[in-house]
mmCIF file with all atom_site columns, all heavy atoms in Angstrom:
data_model
loop_
_atom_site.group_PDB
_atom_site.id
_atom_site.type_symbol
_atom_site.label_atom_id
_atom_site.label_alt_id
_atom_site.label_comp_id
_atom_site.label_asym_id
_atom_site.label_entity_id
_atom_site.label_seq_id
_atom_site.pdbx_PDB_ins_code
_atom_site.Cartn_x
_atom_site.Cartn_y
_atom_site.Cartn_z
_atom_site.occupancy
_atom_site.B_iso_or_equiv
_atom_site.pdbx_formal_charge
_atom_site.auth_seq_id
_atom_site.auth_comp_id
_atom_site.auth_asym_id
_atom_site.auth_atom_id
_atom_site.pdbx_PDB_model_num
ATOM 1   N N   . GLU A 1 215 ? -9.668  -39.445 -67.178 1.00 0.00 ? 215 GLU A N   1
ATOM 2   C CA  . GLU A 1 215 ? -10.685 -40.449 -66.910 1.00 0.00 ? 215 GLU A CA  1
ATOM 3   C C   . GLU A 1 215 ? -9.991  -41.754 -66.546 1.00 0.00 ? 215 GLU A C   1
ATOM 4   O O   . GLU A 1 215 ? -8.938  -42.085 -67.111 1.00 0.00 ? 215 GLU A O   1
ATOM 5   C CB  . GLU A 1 215 ? -11.582 -40.644 -68.131 1.00 0.00 ? 215 GLU A CB  1
ATOM 6   C CG  . GLU A 1 215 ? -12.446 -39.440 -68.451 1.00 0.00 ? 215 GLU A CG  1
ATOM 7   C CD  . GLU A 1 215 ? -13.277 -39.653 -69.702 1.00 0.00 ? 215 GLU A CD  1
ATOM 8   O OE1 . GLU A 1 215 ? -14.395 -40.174 -69.593 1.00 0.00 ? 215 GLU A OE1 1
ATOM 9   O OE2 . GLU A 1 215 ? -12.771 -39.314 -70.793 1.00 0.00 ? 215 GLU A OE2 1
ATOM 10  N N   . VAL A 1 216 ? -10.577 -42.488 -65.615 1.00 0.00 ? 216 VAL A N   1
ATOM 11  C CA  . VAL A 1 216 ? -9.956  -43.714 -65.125 1.00 0.00 ? 216 VAL A CA  1
ATOM 12  C C   . VAL A 1 216 ? -11.020 -44.791 -64.927 1.00 0.00 ? 216 VAL A C   1
ATOM 13  O O   . VAL A 1 216 ? -12.162 -44.494 -64.558 1.00 0.00 ? 216 VAL A O   1
ATOM 14  C CB  . VAL A 1 216 ? -9.183  -43.439 -63.812 1.00 0.00 ? 216 VAL A CB  1
ATOM 15  C CG1 . VAL A 1 216 ? -10.116 -42.930 -62.714 1.00 0.00 ? 216 VAL A CG1 1
ATOM 16  C CG2 . VAL A 1 216 ? -8.437  -44.677 -63.337 1.00 0.00 ? 216 VAL A CG2 1
ATOM 17  N N   . ASN A 1 217 ? -10.631 -46.022 -65.189 1.00 0.00 ? 217 ASN A N   1
ATOM 18  C CA  . ASN A 1 217 ? -11.521 -47.165 -65.009 1.00 0.00 ? 217 ASN A CA  1
ATOM 19  C C   . ASN A 1 217 ? -10.834 -48.159 -64.076 1.00 0.00 ? 217 ASN A C   1
ATOM 20  O O   . ASN A 1 217 ? -9.747  -48.658 -64.382 1.00 0.00 ? 217 ASN A O   1
ATOM 21  C CB  . ASN A 1 217 ? -11.815 -47.815 -66.361 1.00 0.00 ? 217 ASN A CB  1
ATOM 22  C CG  . ASN A 1 217 ? -12.929 -48.847 -66.289 1.00 0.00 ? 217 ASN A CG  1
ATOM 23  O OD1 . ASN A 1 217 ? -12.936 -49.716 -65.425 1.00 0.00 ? 217 ASN A OD1 1
ATOM 24  N ND2 . ASN A 1 217 ? -13.872 -48.756 -67.212 1.00 0.00 ? 217 ASN A ND2 1
ATOM 25  N N   . VAL A 1 218 ? -11.475 -48.433 -62.940 1.00 0.00 ? 218 VAL A N   1
ATOM 26  C CA  . VAL A 1 218 ? -10.884 -49.287 -61.912 1.00 0.00 ? 218 VAL A CA  1
ATOM 27  C C   . VAL A 1 218 ? -11.713 -50.565 -61.771 1.00 0.00 ? 218 VAL A C   1
ATOM 28  O O   . VAL A 1 218 ? -12.863 -50.510 -61.333 1.00 0.00 ? 218 VAL A O   1
ATOM 29  C CB  . VAL A 1 218 ? -10.840 -48.568 -60.544 1.00 0.00 ? 218 VAL A CB  1
ATOM 30  C CG1 . VAL A 1 218 ? -10.035 -49.376 -59.537 1.00 0.00 ? 218 VAL A CG1 1
ATOM 31  C CG2 . VAL A 1 218 ? -10.266 -47.168 -60.690 1.00 0.00 ? 218 VAL A CG2 1
ATOM 32  N N   . PRO A 1 219 ? -11.174 -51.724 -62.120 1.00 0.00 ? 219 PRO A N   1
ATOM 33  C CA  . PRO A 1 219 ? -11.907 -52.976 -61.919 1.00 0.00 ? 219 PRO A CA  1
ATOM 34  C C   . PRO A 1 219 ? -12.108 -53.266 -60.436 1.00 0.00 ? 219 PRO A C   1
ATOM 35  O O   . PRO A 1 219 ? -11.471 -52.667 -59.571 1.00 0.00 ? 219 PRO A O   1
ATOM 36  C CB  . PRO A 1 219 ? -10.994 -54.028 -62.576 1.00 0.00 ? 219 PRO A CB  1
ATOM 37  C CG  . PRO A 1 219 ? -10.102 -53.254 -63.483 1.00 0.00 ? 219 PRO A CG  1
ATOM 38  C CD  . PRO A 1 219 ? -9.917  -51.924 -62.833 1.00 0.00 ? 219 PRO A CD  1
ATOM 39  N N   . GLU A 1 220 ? -12.971 -54.204 -60.144 1.00 0.00 ? 220 GLU A N   1
ATOM 40  C CA  . GLU A 1 220 ? -13.269 -54.575 -58.762 1.00 0.00 ? 220 GLU A CA  1
ATOM 41  C C   . GLU A 1 220 ? -12.002 -54.997 -58.024 1.00 0.00 ? 220 GLU A C   1
ATOM 42  O O   . GLU A 1 220 ? -11.222 -55.814 -58.505 1.00 0.00 ? 220 GLU A O   1
ATOM 43  C CB  . GLU A 1 220 ? -14.286 -55.711 -58.721 1.00 0.00 ? 220 GLU A CB  1
ATOM 44  C CG  . GLU A 1 220 ? -14.721 -56.090 -57.316 1.00 0.00 ? 220 GLU A CG  1
ATOM 45  C CD  . GLU A 1 220 ? -15.814 -57.137 -57.304 1.00 0.00 ? 220 GLU A CD  1
ATOM 46  O OE1 . GLU A 1 220 ? -16.233 -57.564 -58.405 1.00 0.00 ? 220 GLU A OE1 1
ATOM 47  O OE2 . GLU A 1 220 ? -16.249 -57.540 -56.211 1.00 0.00 ? 220 GLU A OE2 1
ATOM 48  N N   . GLY A 1 221 ? -11.784 -54.383 -56.868 1.00 0.00 ? 221 GLY A N   1
ATOM 49  C CA  . GLY A 1 221 ? -10.655 -54.733 -56.012 1.00 0.00 ? 221 GLY A CA  1
ATOM 50  C C   . GLY A 1 221 ? -9.320  -54.183 -56.447 1.00 0.00 ? 221 GLY A C   1
ATOM 51  O O   . GLY A 1 221 ? -8.299  -54.465 -55.812 1.00 0.00 ? 221 GLY A O   1
ATOM 52  N N   . SER A 1 222 ? -9.289  -53.372 -57.504 1.00 0.00 ? 222 SER A N   1
ATOM 53  C CA  . SER A 1 222 ? -8.007  -52.901 -58.026 1.00 0.00 ? 222 SER A CA  1
ATOM 54  C C   . SER A 1 222 ? -7.593  -51.569 -57.386 1.00 0.00 ? 222 SER A C   1
ATOM 55  O O   . SER A 1 222 ? -8.368  -50.919 -56.683 1.00 0.00 ? 222 SER A O   1
ATOM 56  C CB  . SER A 1 222 ? -8.062  -52.769 -59.544 1.00 0.00 ? 222 SER A CB  1
ATOM 57  O OG  . SER A 1 222 ? -6.775  -52.828 -60.089 1.00 0.00 ? 222 SER A OG  1
ATOM 58  N N   . ASN A 1 223 ? -6.342  -51.153 -57.720 1.00 0.00 ? 223 ASN A N   1
ATOM 59  C CA  . ASN A 1 223 ? -5.735  -50.051 -56.990 1.00 0.00 ? 223 ASN A CA  1
ATOM 60  C C   . ASN A 1 223 ? -4.624  -49.429 -57.837 1.00 0.00 ? 223 ASN A C   1
ATOM 61  O O   . ASN A 1 223 ? -3.860  -50.134 -58.485 1.00 0.00 ? 223 ASN A O   1
ATOM 62  C CB  . ASN A 1 223 ? -5.144  -50.611 -55.688 1.00 0.00 ? 223 ASN A CB  1
ATOM 63  C CG  . ASN A 1 223 ? -4.594  -49.537 -54.762 1.00 0.00 ? 223 ASN A CG  1
ATOM 64  O OD1 . ASN A 1 223 ? -4.344  -48.414 -55.173 1.00 0.00 ? 223 ASN A OD1 1
ATOM 65  N ND2 . ASN A 1 223 ? -4.386  -49.899 -53.515 1.00 0.00 ? 223 ASN A ND2 1
ATOM 66  N N   . SER A 1 224 ? -4.551  -48.105 -57.839 1.00 0.00 ? 224 SER A N   1
ATOM 67  C CA  . SER A 1 224 ? -3.461  -47.383 -58.492 1.00 0.00 ? 224 SER A CA  1
ATOM 68  C C   . SER A 1 224 ? -3.355  -46.015 -57.821 1.00 0.00 ? 224 SER A C   1
ATOM 69  O O   . SER A 1 224 ? -3.838  -45.835 -56.698 1.00 0.00 ? 224 SER A O   1
ATOM 70  C CB  . SER A 1 224 ? -3.717  -47.256 -60.000 1.00 0.00 ? 224 SER A CB  1
ATOM 71  O OG  . SER A 1 224 ? -2.648  -46.624 -60.652 1.00 0.00 ? 224 SER A OG  1
ATOM 72  N N   . GLY A 1 225 ? -2.739  -45.063 -58.491 1.00 0.00 ? 225 GLY A N   1
ATOM 73  C CA  . GLY A 1 225 ? -2.631  -43.723 -57.940 1.00 0.00 ? 225 GLY A CA  1
ATOM 74  C C   . GLY A 1 225 ? -2.076  -42.763 -58.970 1.00 0.00 ? 225 GLY A C   1
ATOM 75  O O   . GLY A 1 225 ? -1.304  -43.155 -59.851 1.00 0.00 ? 225 GLY A O   1
ATOM 76  N N   . VAL A 1 226 ? -2.491  -41.501 -58.874 1.00 0.00 ? 226 VAL A N   1
ATOM 77  C CA  . VAL A 1 226 ? -1.988  -40.431 -59.736 1.00 0.00 ? 226 VAL A CA  1
ATOM 78  C C   . VAL A 1 226 ? -1.198  -39.474 -58.854 1.00 0.00 ? 226 VAL A C   1
ATOM 79  O O   . VAL A 1 226 ? -1.754  -38.873 -57.922 1.00 0.00 ? 226 VAL A O   1
ATOM 80  C CB  . VAL A 1 226 ? -3.136  -39.681 -60.432 1.00 0.00 ? 226 VAL A CB  1
ATOM 81  C CG1 . VAL A 1 226 ? -2.597  -38.528 -61.277 1.00 0.00 ? 226 VAL A CG1 1
ATOM 82  C CG2 . VAL A 1 226 ? -3.966  -40.626 -61.288 1.00 0.00 ? 226 VAL A CG2 1
ATOM 83  N N   . TYR A 1 227 ? 0.102   -39.351 -59.123 1.00 0.00 ? 227 TYR A N   1
ATOM 84  C CA  . TYR A 1 227 ? 0.962   -38.487 -58.306 1.00 0.00 ? 227 TYR A CA  1
ATOM 85  C C   . TYR A 1 227 ? 1.127   -37.127 -58.961 1.00 0.00 ? 227 TYR A C   1
ATOM 86  O O   . TYR A 1 227 ? 1.457   -37.023 -60.147 1.00 0.00 ? 227 TYR A O   1
ATOM 87  C CB  . TYR A 1 227 ? 2.330   -39.133 -58.117 1.00 0.00 ? 227 TYR A CB  1
ATOM 88  C CG  . TYR A 1 227 ? 2.352   -40.210 -57.061 1.00 0.00 ? 227 TYR A CG  1
ATOM 89  C CD1 . TYR A 1 227 ? 1.811   -41.461 -57.320 1.00 0.00 ? 227 TYR A CD1 1
ATOM 90  C CD2 . TYR A 1 227 ? 2.912   -39.971 -55.802 1.00 0.00 ? 227 TYR A CD2 1
ATOM 91  C CE1 . TYR A 1 227 ? 1.832   -42.456 -56.355 1.00 0.00 ? 227 TYR A CE1 1
ATOM 92  C CE2 . TYR A 1 227 ? 2.936   -40.962 -54.833 1.00 0.00 ? 227 TYR A CE2 1
ATOM 93  C CZ  . TYR A 1 227 ? 2.396   -42.200 -55.116 1.00 0.00 ? 227 TYR A CZ  1
ATOM 94  O OH  . TYR A 1 227 ? 2.418   -43.193 -54.156 1.00 0.00 ? 227 TYR A OH  1
ATOM 95  N N   . LEU A 1 228 ? 0.919   -36.079 -58.175 1.00 0.00 ? 228 LEU A N   1
ATOM 96  C CA  . LEU A 1 228 ? 1.054   -34.701 -58.625 1.00 0.00 ? 228 LEU A CA  1
ATOM 97  C C   . LEU A 1 228 ? 2.467   -34.228 -58.326 1.00 0.00 ? 228 LEU A C   1
ATOM 98  O O   . LEU A 1 228 ? 2.903   -34.252 -57.160 1.00 0.00 ? 228 LEU A O   1
ATOM 99  C CB  . LEU A 1 228 ? 0.042   -33.806 -57.915 1.00 0.00 ? 228 LEU A CB  1
ATOM 100 C CG  . LEU A 1 228 ? -1.399  -34.330 -57.819 1.00 0.00 ? 228 LEU A CG  1
ATOM 101 C CD1 . LEU A 1 228 ? -2.276  -33.320 -57.072 1.00 0.00 ? 228 LEU A CD1 1
ATOM 102 C CD2 . LEU A 1 228 ? -1.959  -34.638 -59.195 1.00 0.00 ? 228 LEU A CD2 1
ATOM 103 N N   . ARG A 1 229 ? 3.203   -33.817 -59.376 1.00 0.00 ? 229 ARG A N   1
ATOM 104 C CA  . ARG A 1 229 ? 4.614   -33.390 -59.245 1.00 0.00 ? 229 ARG A CA  1
ATOM 105 C C   . ARG A 1 229 ? 5.462   -34.456 -58.563 1.00 0.00 ? 229 ARG A C   1
ATOM 106 O O   . ARG A 1 229 ? 6.486   -34.140 -57.960 1.00 0.00 ? 229 ARG A O   1
ATOM 107 C CB  . ARG A 1 229 ? 4.695   -32.066 -58.488 1.00 0.00 ? 229 ARG A CB  1
ATOM 108 C CG  . ARG A 1 229 ? 4.205   -30.918 -59.325 1.00 0.00 ? 229 ARG A CG  1
ATOM 109 C CD  . ARG A 1 229 ? 4.312   -29.539 -58.713 1.00 0.00 ? 229 ARG A CD  1
ATOM 110 N NE  . ARG A 1 229 ? 5.225   -29.384 -57.618 1.00 0.00 ? 229 ARG A NE  1
ATOM 111 C CZ  . ARG A 1 229 ? 4.986   -28.601 -56.554 1.00 0.00 ? 229 ARG A CZ  1
ATOM 112 N NH1 . ARG A 1 229 ? 3.829   -27.963 -56.456 1.00 0.00 ? 229 ARG A NH1 1
ATOM 113 N NH2 . ARG A 1 229 ? 5.879   -28.472 -55.619 1.00 0.00 ? 229 ARG A NH2 1
ATOM 114 N N   . GLY A 1 230 ? 5.057   -35.720 -58.647 1.00 0.00 ? 230 GLY A N   1
ATOM 115 C CA  . GLY A 1 230 ? 5.818   -36.790 -58.024 1.00 0.00 ? 230 GLY A CA  1
ATOM 116 C C   . GLY A 1 230 ? 5.778   -36.756 -56.515 1.00 0.00 ? 230 GLY A C   1
ATOM 117 O O   . GLY A 1 230 ? 6.509   -37.498 -55.852 1.00 0.00 ? 230 GLY A O   1
ATOM 118 N N   . LEU A 1 231 ? 4.894   -35.931 -55.935 1.00 0.00 ? 231 LEU A N   1
ATOM 119 C CA  . LEU A 1 231 ? 4.855   -35.696 -54.493 1.00 0.00 ? 231 LEU A CA  1
ATOM 120 C C   . LEU A 1 231 ? 3.609   -36.255 -53.808 1.00 0.00 ? 231 LEU A C   1
ATOM 121 O O   . LEU A 1 231 ? 3.703   -36.914 -52.771 1.00 0.00 ? 231 LEU A O   1
ATOM 122 C CB  . LEU A 1 231 ? 4.902   -34.182 -54.213 1.00 0.00 ? 231 LEU A CB  1
ATOM 123 C CG  . LEU A 1 231 ? 6.229   -33.458 -54.329 1.00 0.00 ? 231 LEU A CG  1
ATOM 124 C CD1 . LEU A 1 231 ? 5.977   -31.956 -54.373 1.00 0.00 ? 231 LEU A CD1 1
ATOM 125 C CD2 . LEU A 1 231 ? 7.126   -33.820 -53.158 1.00 0.00 ? 231 LEU A CD2 1
ATOM 126 N N   . TYR A 1 232 ? 2.461   -35.934 -54.364 1.00 0.00 ? 232 TYR A N   1
ATOM 127 C CA  . TYR A 1 232 ? 1.194   -36.177 -53.688 1.00 0.00 ? 232 TYR A CA  1
ATOM 128 C C   . TYR A 1 232 ? 0.355   -37.182 -54.471 1.00 0.00 ? 232 TYR A C   1
ATOM 129 O O   . TYR A 1 232 ? 0.005   -36.930 -55.626 1.00 0.00 ? 232 TYR A O   1
ATOM 130 C CB  . TYR A 1 232 ? 0.402   -34.867 -53.551 1.00 0.00 ? 232 TYR A CB  1
ATOM 131 C CG  . TYR A 1 232 ? 1.196   -33.681 -53.064 1.00 0.00 ? 232 TYR A CG  1
ATOM 132 C CD1 . TYR A 1 232 ? 1.322   -32.530 -53.846 1.00 0.00 ? 232 TYR A CD1 1
ATOM 133 C CD2 . TYR A 1 232 ? 1.837   -33.707 -51.825 1.00 0.00 ? 232 TYR A CD2 1
ATOM 134 C CE1 . TYR A 1 232 ? 2.037   -31.437 -53.408 1.00 0.00 ? 232 TYR A CE1 1
ATOM 135 C CE2 . TYR A 1 232 ? 2.564   -32.613 -51.375 1.00 0.00 ? 232 TYR A CE2 1
ATOM 136 C CZ  . TYR A 1 232 ? 2.661   -31.475 -52.167 1.00 0.00 ? 232 TYR A CZ  1
ATOM 137 O OH  . TYR A 1 232 ? 3.377   -30.394 -51.734 1.00 0.00 ? 232 TYR A OH  1
ATOM 138 N N   . GLU A 1 233 ? 0.014   -38.286 -53.832 1.00 0.00 ? 233 GLU A N   1
ATOM 139 C CA  . GLU A 1 233 ? -0.798  -39.290 -54.510 1.00 0.00 ? 233 GLU A CA  1
ATOM 140 C C   . GLU A 1 233 ? -2.284  -39.011 -54.351 1.00 0.00 ? 233 GLU A C   1
ATOM 141 O O   . GLU A 1 233 ? -2.797  -38.925 -53.228 1.00 0.00 ? 233 GLU A O   1
ATOM 142 C CB  . GLU A 1 233 ? -0.507  -40.689 -53.960 1.00 0.00 ? 233 GLU A CB  1
ATOM 143 C CG  . GLU A 1 233 ? -1.350  -41.760 -54.658 1.00 0.00 ? 233 GLU A CG  1
ATOM 144 C CD  . GLU A 1 233 ? -1.213  -43.139 -54.047 1.00 0.00 ? 233 GLU A CD  1
ATOM 145 O OE1 . GLU A 1 233 ? -0.503  -43.294 -53.042 1.00 0.00 ? 233 GLU A OE1 1
ATOM 146 O OE2 . GLU A 1 233 ? -1.850  -44.076 -54.581 1.00 0.00 ? 233 GLU A OE2 1
ATOM 147 N N   . ILE A 1 234 ? -2.971  -38.883 -55.479 1.00 0.00 ? 234 ILE A N   1
ATOM 148 C CA  . ILE A 1 234 ? -4.429  -38.893 -55.482 1.00 0.00 ? 234 ILE A CA  1
ATOM 149 C C   . ILE A 1 234 ? -4.829  -40.353 -55.669 1.00 0.00 ? 234 ILE A C   1
ATOM 150 O O   . ILE A 1 234 ? -4.525  -40.967 -56.683 1.00 0.00 ? 234 ILE A O   1
ATOM 151 C CB  . ILE A 1 234 ? -5.006  -38.011 -56.610 1.00 0.00 ? 234 ILE A CB  1
ATOM 152 C CG1 . ILE A 1 234 ? -4.463  -36.576 -56.496 1.00 0.00 ? 234 ILE A CG1 1
ATOM 153 C CG2 . ILE A 1 234 ? -6.528  -38.021 -56.546 1.00 0.00 ? 234 ILE A CG2 1
ATOM 154 C CD1 . ILE A 1 234 ? -4.771  -35.879 -55.195 1.00 0.00 ? 234 ILE A CD1 1
ATOM 155 N N   . GLN A 1 235 ? -5.494  -40.899 -54.684 1.00 0.00 ? 235 GLN A N   1
ATOM 156 C CA  . GLN A 1 235 ? -5.777  -42.329 -54.664 1.00 0.00 ? 235 GLN A CA  1
ATOM 157 C C   . GLN A 1 235 ? -6.748  -42.742 -55.771 1.00 0.00 ? 235 GLN A C   1
ATOM 158 O O   . GLN A 1 235 ? -7.765  -42.067 -56.011 1.00 0.00 ? 235 GLN A O   1
ATOM 159 C CB  . GLN A 1 235 ? -6.344  -42.718 -53.304 1.00 0.00 ? 235 GLN A CB  1
ATOM 160 C CG  . GLN A 1 235 ? -6.844  -44.134 -53.177 1.00 0.00 ? 235 GLN A CG  1
ATOM 161 C CD  . GLN A 1 235 ? -5.721  -45.165 -53.133 1.00 0.00 ? 235 GLN A CD  1
ATOM 162 O OE1 . GLN A 1 235 ? -4.815  -45.131 -53.963 1.00 0.00 ? 235 GLN A OE1 1
ATOM 163 N NE2 . GLN A 1 235 ? -5.799  -46.079 -52.192 1.00 0.00 ? 235 GLN A NE2 1
#
Side-chain angles (χ1 to χ4, degrees):
E215 293 178 89
V216 61
N217 191 312
V218 189
E220 184 175 0
S222 203
N223 186 342
S224 183
V226 177
Y227 281 76
L228 315 180
R229 288 183 19 217
L231 283 165
Y232 314 120
E233 180 186 3
I234 304 301
Q235 173 73 311

